[in-house]
Amino acid sequence: MSDSVEAAAAAWALRHPLQESERGQFEDWLARDPRHAGALLRAQAGLSVIDRAIVPDHAVAHTPALPRRQTNRRWVLAGAGSAIAAAIAGLIGWQRWSGEEVTTKRGEIRRFPLADGSVATIDTDSALRVVLDSQSRRIALQQGQAWFQVAKERQRPFVVDAGIAQVRAVGTAFAVRRTDTGVQVAVTEGTVAVWPTDASGAMIILEAGHFATFVRGQSAPITGTAPAAIQRSLAWRDGEIALENETLGYAIGEFNRYNRRPIVLTDDSLKDERLVGLFQIDNPDEFIAMLSASLDVVATVTPHDVRLRRKKARDDDGNAQ
């Protein structure tokens, strides 16, 4: 069966329940080819598998329980090619729909309530588009990072399109970060389904404390369990940067995402120094003072940046070596 038939079937399955104005068009599509009914059933079955995988057991107590599956296991939609996988991910045409554009400037962190009761907490220098309708809730994350607290509404799946990766949830909390090189999804509550946009139906179920990192050019994401690291990485929600044995190079990169006057490390011998601490995003001076005290670092402030180097040792005559 052609991918175009499977894709059309998935698009109809996603639109269920249909509005009265759509029923005539749907019935015409079904009658046009005897293969359409079978394709529709496969699409509906695939959606059912996804939704039951990401909805907690207590939320679907009225339905027969699925066998317990191993966390992070890759699921493949039976009989589904790349077109149906893309459609189920929510890719058929929705990017062309009008929606609300939301952006943040450098240094800005914004809490943005959605009309469905969900909340998006948006990190610095980020951009996303929100499209809510009667069948679905969709977010296009164009750049940056956001943490989503999704209101439980099983009939309207919550889908995030992050370019090379897709995330599907019903009621949960998770973060998506999109950079030039890839996408990271981190789950803080509940369960989500993730998969590469260009994959052939394979997806991964992530539970709280798990992450998936999609790297541009690689077919499968890197997955793992790191609840403590995930919480540290999301300290920005409270206006903080949390370090637990991260390198100085990493810490400077994080501060520079928020501050207009960048910190520049001019001494490569410092970049791999390990740090521990909790710092305010909008107070890099406190961070630099800590470096001066603990690593014997000198800071030189210029009109354009702050340059860090290690203090030079002095010989017996007091001259810098």
Side-chain angles (χ1 to χ4, degrees):
M1 183 172 295
S2 69
D3 280 349
S4 61
V5 171
E6 298 286 4
W12 281 116
L14 280 166
R15 290 158 70 178
H16 181 82
L18 299 177
Q19 299 179 7
E20 286 299 324
S21 59
E22 298 175 305
R23 291 191 178 277
Q25 184 182 358
F26 170 66
E27 290 172 359
D28 288 344
W29 176 80
L30 274 180
R32 196 176 308 144
D33 190 320
R35 300 176 300 170
H36 289 180
L40 180 65
L41 288 174
R42 283 191 294 276
Q44 290 172 331
L47 284 172
S48 177
V49 168
I50 296 173
D51 289 341
R52 293 180 64 180
I54 60 181
V55 176
D57 292 341
H58 62 77
V60 290
H62 58 286
T63 61
L66 289 175
R68 178 66 176 172
R69 296 178 184 264
Q70 183 179 359
T71 300
N72 287 348
R73 178 172 176 174
R74 285 170 173 78
W75 296 52
V76 180
L77 304 181
S82 58
I84 191 172
I88 291 174
L91 295 177
I92 296 212
W94 82 268
Q95 296 93 333
R96 298 191 296 271
W97 298 353
S98 61
E100 185 171 6
E101 301 282 347
V102 186
T103 62
T104 56
K105 300 176 182 178
R106 173 168 293 201
E108 179 185 7
I109 297 171
R110 183 177 178 186
R111 186 178 183 273
F112 183 75
L114 278 62
D116 68 325
S118 301
V119 176
T121 304
I122 308 169
D123 199 3
T124 178
D125 196 21
S126 298
L128 54 84
R129 183 157 53 90
V130 179
V131 178
L132 303 179
D133 64 23
S134 59
Q135 281 81 42
S136 62
R137 302 168 288 173
R138 302 166 194 253
I139 307 290
L141 180 63
Q142 295 150 339
Q143 70 179 53
Q145 178 173 210
W147 178 62
F148 302 98
Q149 295 169 285
V150 181
K152 290 181 172 62
E153 192 172 345
R154 193 182 182 202
Q155 296 304 314
R156 286 205 299 168
F158 191 99
V159 178
V160 176
D161 175 1
I164 65 171
Q166 305 290 316
V167 187
R168 183 182 176 94
V170 172
T172 185
F174 61 95
V176 184
R177 182 174 181 178
R178 179 175 180 176
T179 66
D180 293 338
T181 58
V183 172
Q184 183 171 75
V185 180
V187 184
T188 56
E189 179 185 334
T191 309
V192 304
V194 299
W195 61 97
T197 298
D198 61 357
S200 59
M203 68 174 173
I204 298 171
I205 304 300
L206 299 177
E207 296 180 353
H210 292 75
F211 68 88
T213 300
F214 296 81
V215 179
R216 192 172 299 280
Q218 296 184 10
S219 59
I222 301 165
T223 60
T225 306
I230 288 172
Q231 290 301 323
R232 289 198 303 275
S233 72
L234 294 175
W236 59 266
R237 296 172 299 176
D238 298 316
E240 297 172 334
I241 293 175
L243 304 175
E244 183 65 41
N245 205 36
E246 278 82 17
T247 66
L248 176 56
Y250 168 85
I252 288 175
E254 288 298 289
F255 270 102
N256 286 346
R257 293 202 301 119
Y258 299 92
N259 294 286
R260 296 189 180 278
R261 178 177 289 179
I263 302 172
V264 178
L265 198 58
T266 62
D267 187 340
D268 283 345
S269 70
L270 286 167
K271 67 179 181 180
D272 293 326
E273 294 283 354
R274 299 285 172 171
L275 304 175
V276 176
L278 188 65
F279 303 93
Q280 296 297 312
I281 283 171
D282 59 357
N283 190 4
D285 291 345
E286 176 194 19
F287 174 67
I288 293 170
M290 181 277 295
L291 295 178
S292 298
S294 61
L295 297 180
D296 210 21
V297 167
V298 174
T300 302
V301 179
T302 77
H304 306 292
D305 56 31
V306 179
R307 302 182 181 184
L308 302 182
R309 63 173 175 82
R310 199 188 301 270
K311 285 183 181 178
K312 294 182 178 180
R314 295 184 178 274
D315 59 24
D316 293 338
D317 295 326
N319 299 314
Q321 295 181 344

